[in-house]
Amino acid sequence: MLGTQWGDEGKGKFTDLLAADASMVVRFQGGHNAGHTLVVNGESFALQLVPSGVLYPHTTPVIANGVVVDPFVLLAEMAMLEERGVDVSRMKVSGNAHLIMPYHQQLDALHERHLGDAKLGTTKRGIGPAYADKSMRLGIRVQDMLDEKIFRAKLHTALGHANTILTRVFNRLPIDPDQLADKVLAECLPGIEPLIADSIDLIHSALENGENVLFEGAQATFLDLDHGTYPFVTSSNPTAGGACTGAGVGPRHIDRVIGIAKAYVTRVGSGPFPTELFDDIGDYLVDVGREYGTNTGRRRRPGWVDAVMLRHAVRLNSLTDLAITKLDVLDQLDTVKICTGYKIDGEEVSKLPYHQSLIHRAEPIYIEMPGWKKDLTEVRSVQDLPPNAKSFLDELSVQAGVGISLVSTGPGRKQYLDFS
Ligand code: GDP
Ligand code: IMO
Ligand code: MG
């Protein structure tokens, strides 16, 4: 299960729905830059790190090796869930997952400030600096907390580097490694230690037992470090291959790859966006779709659904099917549009150009279709869909080149249509 656009497609909603049939839900990349919203019986849960299967008593939520974990955030999120009556005792965290430390967040904010107008618009959660340390072999893993000597030594090494940047590049005060170690070991270790697990063995034992394991992506295909609109991306691989490296499973274990797509598109932060709308329809999508960041509160940039991107996402992820969300948000529009290609320097193209300057210059080519002007939020079966809504989905499926298996018509767990 992964995002096919620029995030916030409704991965949390569909992960929660499909987790009903899964024994394990595994987050494989990203960190608390994610905000996944679940709405069950009118109650809303905004999750950042805890996998979206946590609400069921039969699922084991696993944070796998590819995730970057801020232990303070994880504990706060678990406490919030517990306070609301959710049992979090089955939570597991890979010992190989890397830690986000306070200096990562500080560096993230300082880098952004330094970039000025060229800023990426990150969530300032320390994601980039934590993955950078991982690549630099300066990262600290969750398992390092179990050995105080190693934890302190690694913090000394990592801060030797980070403090040089903080003090000499950004003119900030250095962070004391031992003080930080004291704080993390006192405030986090007692809560984190019982969660630490060999996630590889957990996941493979479940697979060997024939159990259903659901991999939950965060962010999305076009925020992928390798395949997104670089540098306006996140620092991990939210595409399907990221599930393999981020959870330690080979591709043959994955038999279904569900791409989540909104019936329109939103993007938070900077970067190219061919179908972006700056008009009343854009304001309508933001207002009706409540397109403000789950955690950061930032207004999301709105646009029409883009089949060029979806076709590319089908290729990059080997998508087996699409799950469409927020169809109800289009309910009141007279006409709806699907972008089928781009006009670039006078030429029509149907594939996403590899040269990003061209994406910046791309003008969308649309098919315009009549709207359905009916409230879909109570519709529960495909037969009851207004014909214009059905035609929109059929066209989207043809344009994307993959079948649509699920359609969401409201934030609630029960608000969906099963096309399979
Ligand atoms: P995620 O990051 O992909 O999990 O998505 P977010 O949770 O950040 O954003 C999706 C938002 O849309 C959340 O507030 C959901 O509750 C809401 N949502 C999900 N599906 C639907 C839907 O079909 N219709 C409407 N109106 N809202 C939805
Ligand atoms: P979910 O899982 C939407 C965006 C940020 C920024 C870029 C890099 O809820 O879909 P980062 O903090 O990761 O270094 O920021 O990526 N971004 C998201 N946008 N949804 C998300 O997560 C995002 N996570 C990061 O806005 O443009
Ligand atoms: Mg989100």
Side-chain angles (χ1 to χ4, degrees):
M1 172 96 57
L2 51 85
T4 57
Q5 296 159 331
W6 279 295
D8 303 323
E9 295 92 348
K11 297 176 291 293
K13 181 205 161 137
F14 271 132
T15 302
D16 167 70
L17 186 74
L18 296 193
D21 297 322
S23 68
M24 201 171 270
V25 178
V26 182
R27 264 286 300 272
F28 56 86
Q29 45 67 235
H32 66 299
N33 48 349
H36 294 183
T37 316
L38 329 180
V39 180
V40 181
N41 300 328
E43 243 198 290
S44 178
F45 297 87
L47 303 178
Q48 297 179 267
L49 269 172
V50 171
S52 301
V54 69
L55 299 186
Y56 296 98
H58 65 270
T59 61
T60 303
V62 178
I63 295 178
N65 55 280
V67 176
V68 281
V69 179
D70 181 322
F72 296 97
V73 172
L74 177 57
L75 291 174
E77 193 169 317
M78 288 172 60
M80 174 277 287
L81 287 167
E82 247 177 340
E83 214 166 274
R84 296 179 63 181
V86 178
D87 175 14
V88 291
S89 62
R90 302 169 316 281
M91 256 312 289
K92 300 287 174 215
V93 181
S94 164
N96 284 358
H98 279 245
L99 290 173
I100 294 185
M101 289 281 102
Y103 49 89
H104 293 129
Q105 311 218 10
Q106 201 182 344
L107 286 168
D108 194 353
L110 288 167
H111 278 300
E112 280 285 271
R113 178 125 47 103
H114 181 72
L115 285 172
D117 286 346
K119 75 173 185 206
L120 308 177
T122 75
T123 58
K124 300 193 182 133
R125 302 292 202 261
I127 306 296
Y131 278 117
D133 271 3
K134 177 177 175 177
S135 297
M136 293 264 284
R137 279 66 55 87
L138 284 171
I140 303 177
R141 294 189 291 175
V142 167
Q143 60 175 295
D144 296 329
M145 292 167 76
L146 295 173
D147 186 326
E148 183 174 342
K149 231 168 105 188
I150 287 187
F151 187 63
R152 284 184 190 276
K154 290 201 170 183
L155 260 182
H156 271 269
T157 308
L159 274 168
H161 185 256
N163 277 338
T164 309
I165 300 171
L166 284 173
T167 56
R168 299 214 187 151
V169 178
F170 293 116
N171 206 18
R172 290 296 186 281
L173 292 173
I175 293 170
D176 182 88
D178 282 314
Q179 266 179 22
L180 180 57
D182 290 344
K183 184 173 162 70
V184 175
L185 293 173
E187 293 178 24
C188 301
L189 184 59
I192 298 286
E193 186 168 1
L195 316 177
I196 303 178
D198 176 352
S199 61
I200 301 298
D201 188 47
L202 270 180
I203 294 168
H204 282 273
S205 298
L207 290 170
E208 283 152 22
N209 276 338
E211 293 170 24
N212 211 357
V213 178
L214 180 59
F215 298 94
E216 176 185 14
Q219 290 79 57
T221 300
F222 292 93
L223 289 172
D224 186 283
L225 182 60
D226 286 76
H227 301 291
T229 46
Y230 190 90
F232 306 106
V233 293
T234 192
S235 300
S236 66
N237 291 116
T239 43
C244 294
T245 47
V249 295
R252 288 195 301 137
H253 281 298
I254 296 176
D255 46 33
R256 187 175 174 193
V257 186
I258 309 171
I260 315 291
K262 264 187 232 199
Y264 50 99
V265 180
T266 59
R267 169 162 213 174
V268 209
S270 319
F273 183 172
T275 64
E276 184 165 12
L277 291 168
F278 300 95
D279 57 7
D280 291 352
I281 306 265
D283 290 341
Y284 166 94
L285 294 174
V286 171
D287 288 347
V288 178
R290 299 191 187 167
E291 296 296 353
Y292 295 91
T294 309
N295 299 308
T296 60
R298 291 183 292 174
R299 185 186 194 270
R300 297 173 180 153
R301 299 158 58 194
W304 291 114
V305 71
D306 186 341
V308 181
M309 288 173 66
L310 293 179
R311 286 196 286 271
H312 200 66
V314 170
R315 282 183 152 182
L316 288 173
N317 298 296
S318 305
L319 294 185
T320 52
D321 47 319
L322 272 179
I324 304 295
T325 59
K326 301 192 115 168
L327 187 62
D328 56 295
V329 173
L330 307 183
D331 281 354
Q332 298 313 319
L333 295 174
D334 294 329
T335 58
V336 288
K337 292 187 188 178
I338 299 173
C339 169
T340 57
Y342 301 145
K343 199 165 186 184
I344 305 174
D345 302 334
E347 207 178 304
E348 290 190 8
V349 299
S350 58
K351 289 183 186 165
L352 194 74
Y354 81 88
H355 190 180
Q356 201 157 301
S357 299
L358 303 186
I359 304 179
H360 281 269
R361 293 210 292 280
E363 294 166 43
I365 301 167
Y366 291 116
I367 316 181
E368 189 160 1
M369 304 175 76
W372 42 94
K373 307 280 269 184
K374 283 215 173 74
D375 178 5
L376 297 187
T377 56
E378 299 301 326
V379 176
R380 294 286 179 277
S381 80
V382 180
Q383 295 87 291
D384 296 337
L385 263 185
N388 288 353
K390 181 79 174 42
S391 302
F392 174 77
L393 293 170
D394 288 344
E395 185 63 34
L396 190 56
S397 172
V398 168
Q399 289 293 336
V402 69
I404 292 171
S405 56
L406 292 162
V407 173
S408 172
T409 55
R413 190 187 263 174
K414 294 186 179 143
Q415 292 175 295
Y416 76 98
L417 309 171
D418 192 342
F419 276 61
S420 51

Short mmCIF file of all heavy atoms in Angstrom, two decimals, residues 278-299:
data_model
loop_
_atom_site.label_atom_id
_atom_site.label_comp_id
_atom_site.label_asym_id
_atom_site.label_seq_id
_atom_site.Cartn_x
_atom_site.Cartn_y
_atom_site.Cartn_z
N PHE A 278 -4.78 27.53 -9.29
CA PHE A 278 -4.65 28.75 -8.49
C PHE A 278 -5.97 29.52 -8.49
O PHE A 278 -6.01 30.70 -8.21
CB PHE A 278 -3.54 29.64 -9.07
CG PHE A 278 -2.20 28.97 -9.08
CD1 PHE A 278 -1.73 28.31 -10.20
CD2 PHE A 278 -1.40 28.99 -7.94
CE1 PHE A 278 -0.49 27.68 -10.20
CE2 PHE A 278 -0.16 28.36 -7.92
CZ PHE A 278 0.29 27.71 -9.06
N ASP A 279 -7.05 28.82 -8.85
CA ASP A 279 -8.33 29.51 -9.05
C ASP A 279 -9.36 29.07 -7.99
O ASP A 279 -9.02 28.44 -6.99
CB ASP A 279 -8.84 29.22 -10.47
CG ASP A 279 -8.99 27.72 -10.71
OD1 ASP A 279 -8.81 26.93 -9.75
OD2 ASP A 279 -9.29 27.32 -11.85
N ASP A 280 -10.61 29.39 -8.27
CA ASP A 280 -11.70 29.04 -7.33
C ASP A 280 -11.83 27.54 -7.14
O ASP A 280 -12.20 27.08 -6.05
CB ASP A 280 -13.04 29.55 -7.90
CG ASP A 280 -13.10 31.05 -7.86
OD1 ASP A 280 -12.19 31.66 -7.28
OD2 ASP A 280 -14.05 31.61 -8.45
N ILE A 281 -11.57 26.78 -8.20
CA ILE A 281 -11.69 25.32 -8.07
C ILE A 281 -10.63 24.82 -7.09
O ILE A 281 -10.89 23.94 -6.26
CB ILE A 281 -11.49 24.63 -9.44
CG1 ILE A 281 -12.44 25.21 -10.48
CG2 ILE A 281 -11.63 23.11 -9.31
CD1 ILE A 281 -13.72 24.49 -10.69
N GLY A 282 -9.43 25.40 -7.17
CA GLY A 282 -8.37 25.03 -6.23
C GLY A 282 -8.81 25.33 -4.80
O GLY A 282 -8.66 24.49 -3.90
N ASP A 283 -9.37 26.52 -4.59
CA ASP A 283 -9.85 26.89 -3.24
C ASP A 283 -10.96 25.93 -2.79
O ASP A 283 -11.02 25.53 -1.63
CB ASP A 283 -10.40 28.32 -3.23
CG ASP A 283 -9.29 29.35 -3.39
OD1 ASP A 283 -8.11 28.99 -3.15
OD2 ASP A 283 -9.58 30.49 -3.79
N TYR A 284 -11.83 25.57 -3.75
CA TYR A 284 -12.91 24.63 -3.45
C TYR A 284 -12.33 23.29 -2.96
O TYR A 284 -12.76 22.74 -1.94
CB TYR A 284 -13.77 24.42 -4.71
CG TYR A 284 -14.71 23.24 -4.64
CD1 TYR A 284 -16.03 23.38 -4.22
CD2 TYR A 284 -14.26 21.96 -4.99
CE1 TYR A 284 -16.88 22.28 -4.15
CE2 TYR A 284 -15.11 20.85 -4.92
CZ TYR A 284 -16.41 21.02 -4.50
OH TYR A 284 -17.23 19.92 -4.42
N LEU A 285 -11.31 22.77 -3.68
CA LEU A 285 -10.72 21.48 -3.31
C LEU A 285 -10.09 21.55 -1.91
O LEU A 285 -10.23 20.63 -1.11
CB LEU A 285 -9.66 21.05 -4.33
CG LEU A 285 -10.17 20.72 -5.73
CD1 LEU A 285 -9.01 20.45 -6.69
CD2 LEU A 285 -11.11 19.51 -5.71
N VAL A 286 -9.42 22.67 -1.62
CA VAL A 286 -8.79 22.82 -0.31
C VAL A 286 -9.85 22.92 0.79
O VAL A 286 -9.75 22.28 1.84
CB VAL A 286 -7.85 24.06 -0.28
CG1 VAL A 286 -7.36 24.34 1.13
CG2 VAL A 286 -6.67 23.85 -1.22
N ASP A 287 -10.92 23.69 0.51
CA ASP A 287 -11.96 23.89 1.53
C ASP A 287 -12.74 22.60 1.76
O ASP A 287 -12.87 22.13 2.88
CB ASP A 287 -12.96 24.97 1.08
CG ASP A 287 -12.32 26.35 1.15
OD1 ASP A 287 -11.24 26.45 1.75
OD2 ASP A 287 -12.90 27.30 0.57
N VAL A 288 -13.27 22.04 0.68
CA VAL A 288 -14.13 20.86 0.82
C VAL A 288 -13.29 19.64 1.24
O VAL A 288 -13.73 18.82 2.04
CB VAL A 288 -14.90 20.59 -0.49
CG1 VAL A 288 -15.77 19.35 -0.37
CG2 VAL A 288 -15.76 21.80 -0.83
N GLY A 289 -12.08 19.53 0.67
CA GLY A 289 -11.22 18.39 1.01
C GLY A 289 -10.44 18.59 2.30
O GLY A 289 -9.70 17.71 2.72
N ARG A 290 -10.61 19.74 2.93
CA ARG A 290 -9.88 20.08 4.16
C ARG A 290 -8.39 19.79 3.99
O ARG A 290 -7.78 19.01 4.75
CB ARG A 290 -10.42 19.29 5.35
CG ARG A 290 -11.85 19.63 5.59
CD ARG A 290 -12.33 19.09 6.89
NE ARG A 290 -13.76 19.32 6.99
CZ ARG A 290 -14.55 18.77 7.87
NH1 ARG A 290 -14.07 17.97 8.77
NH2 ARG A 290 -15.83 19.03 7.89
N GLU A 291 -7.83 20.41 2.97
CA GLU A 291 -6.46 20.11 2.61
C GLU A 291 -5.46 20.96 3.38
O GLU A 291 -4.84 21.88 2.84
CB GLU A 291 -6.28 20.23 1.08
CG GLU A 291 -7.11 19.22 0.29
CD GLU A 291 -6.72 17.76 0.55
OE1 GLU A 291 -5.71 17.50 1.23
OE2 GLU A 291 -7.44 16.87 0.08
N TYR A 292 -5.35 20.62 4.64
CA TYR A 292 -4.34 21.24 5.51
C TYR A 292 -3.59 20.10 6.19
O TYR A 292 -4.20 19.10 6.57
CB TYR A 292 -5.00 22.15 6.56
CG TYR A 292 -5.68 23.35 5.92
CD1 TYR A 292 -7.02 23.29 5.54
CD2 TYR A 292 -4.96 24.51 5.65
CE1 TYR A 292 -7.64 24.37 4.92
CE2 TYR A 292 -5.56 25.60 5.03
CZ TYR A 292 -6.90 25.52 4.67
OH TYR A 292 -7.50 26.59 4.04
N GLY A 293 -2.25 20.24 6.30
CA GLY A 293 -1.41 19.16 6.82
C GLY A 293 -1.91 18.60 8.14
O GLY A 293 -2.28 19.37 9.03
N THR A 294 -1.89 17.27 8.25
CA THR A 294 -2.35 16.60 9.47
C THR A 294 -1.53 17.04 10.67
O THR A 294 -2.05 17.24 11.76
CB THR A 294 -2.20 15.07 9.29
OG1 THR A 294 -2.81 14.70 8.06
CG2 THR A 294 -2.83 14.30 10.41
N ASN A 295 -0.22 17.22 10.47
CA ASN A 295 0.64 17.59 11.60
C ASN A 295 1.11 19.02 11.54
O ASN A 295 1.19 19.70 12.55
CB ASN A 295 1.88 16.69 11.63
CG ASN A 295 1.48 15.26 11.80
OD1 ASN A 295 0.75 14.92 12.70
ND2 ASN A 295 1.96 14.41 10.91
N THR A 296 1.45 19.46 10.34
CA THR A 296 2.07 20.79 10.24
C THR A 296 1.04 21.89 10.06
O THR A 296 1.35 23.06 10.22
CB THR A 296 3.06 20.83 9.06
OG1 THR A 296 2.35 20.55 7.86
CG2 THR A 296 4.18 19.82 9.23
N GLY A 297 -0.19 21.52 9.66
CA GLY A 297 -1.25 22.51 9.48
C GLY A 297 -1.08 23.34 8.20
O GLY A 297 -1.86 24.25 7.95
N ARG A 298 -0.06 23.01 7.38
CA ARG A 298 0.17 23.82 6.18
C ARG A 298 -0.92 23.58 5.14
O ARG A 298 -1.40 22.46 4.97
CB ARG A 298 1.53 23.45 5.55
CG ARG A 298 2.70 23.89 6.39
CD ARG A 298 4.01 23.57 5.70
NE ARG A 298 4.26 22.14 5.61
CZ ARG A 298 5.28 21.61 4.95
NH1 ARG A 298 6.13 22.37 4.31
NH2 ARG A 298 5.46 20.30 4.94
N ARG A 299 -1.28 24.64 4.39
CA ARG A 299 -2.25 24.50 3.30
C ARG A 299 -1.61 23.67 2.21
O ARG A 299 -0.47 23.91 1.81
CB ARG A 299 -2.60 25.89 2.75
CG ARG A 299 -3.69 25.90 1.69
CD ARG A 299 -3.84 27.32 1.11
NE ARG A 299 -5.06 27.48 0.33
CZ ARG A 299 -5.15 27.26 -0.97
NH1 ARG A 299 -4.11 26.84 -1.66
NH2 ARG A 299 -6.32 27.45 -1.60
#
